[in-house]
Amino acid sequence: MKISIVYWSGTGNTEAMANAIADGAKDAGAEVELLPVAAAGEEILASDVILFGCPAMGSEELEESEFEPFFSSVESRLTGKKVGLFGSYDWGDGEWMRTWQARVTADGGVMIADGLIANNTPDEVALAECRALGETAAK
């Protein structure tokens, strides 16, 4: 089982979530590729599961200079792919995650779980949820 985790993190919060997800997936026996979005390419589409991580930016949107362009470049090829989403936020109610999930579903992606969000710095509960998402991805 190969899992690619692609993320963008400005403050380190979403990166912490990505690391915990990777730990959970590795502990469950998966081969994990952990990539900042700047290092990711279309090769992620060959993975069994793809997890995308991005915090809420602006008015609850994906980060627009790096992450959104990359996600837009691969989203039309998510049909039938197992996908997980995660990210942190500081305001709002998680609308960006609901919108993002709807995009993945509209693109034919198969959500492995509801999008996982953490308010600001992920606490131990949020990190445990991240590890559980990694385990789910590895199944």
Side-chain angles (χ1 to χ4, degrees):
M1 167 76 64
K2 181 173 181 187
I3 298 171
S4 288
I5 303 170
V6 178
Y7 69 93
W8 185 91
S9 187
T11 62
N13 295 340
T14 300
E15 182 177 17
M17 295 175 77
N19 286 325
I21 292 166
D23 289 345
K26 287 176 188 174
D27 289 348
E31 174 188 345
V32 176
E33 182 177 44
L34 183 62
L35 298 165
V37 71
E42 293 184 3
E43 73 279 353
I44 65 158
L45 295 168
S47 297
D48 298 302
V49 181
I50 307 167
L51 293 120
F52 295 102
C54 186
M57 304 291 287
S59 59
E60 291 207 64
E61 299 166 343
L62 298 175
E63 189 278 328
E64 62 186 18
S65 66
E66 289 183 73
F67 193 87
E68 177 63 44
F70 177 77
F71 185 75
S72 291
S73 77
V74 298
E75 76 175 299
S76 67
R77 291 173 281 166
L78 293 178
T79 301
K81 298 282 184 190
K82 294 179 181 177
V83 177
L85 304 176
F86 64 96
S88 62
Y89 69 105
D90 186 20
W91 62 91
D93 68 354
E95 178 185 352
W96 107 100
M97 185 59 71
R98 293 188 299 276
T99 300
W100 195 11
Q101 274 186 210
R103 280 176 71 180
V104 169
T105 302
D107 294 326
V110 179
M111 293 293 301
I112 63 168
D114 284 337
L116 181 58
I117 61 176
N119 187 265
N120 289 308
T121 304
D123 60 15
E124 283 306 312
V125 172
L127 292 173
E129 290 173 347
C130 290
R131 288 187 288 276
L133 178 60
E135 291 171 12
T136 297
K139 294 180 182 175

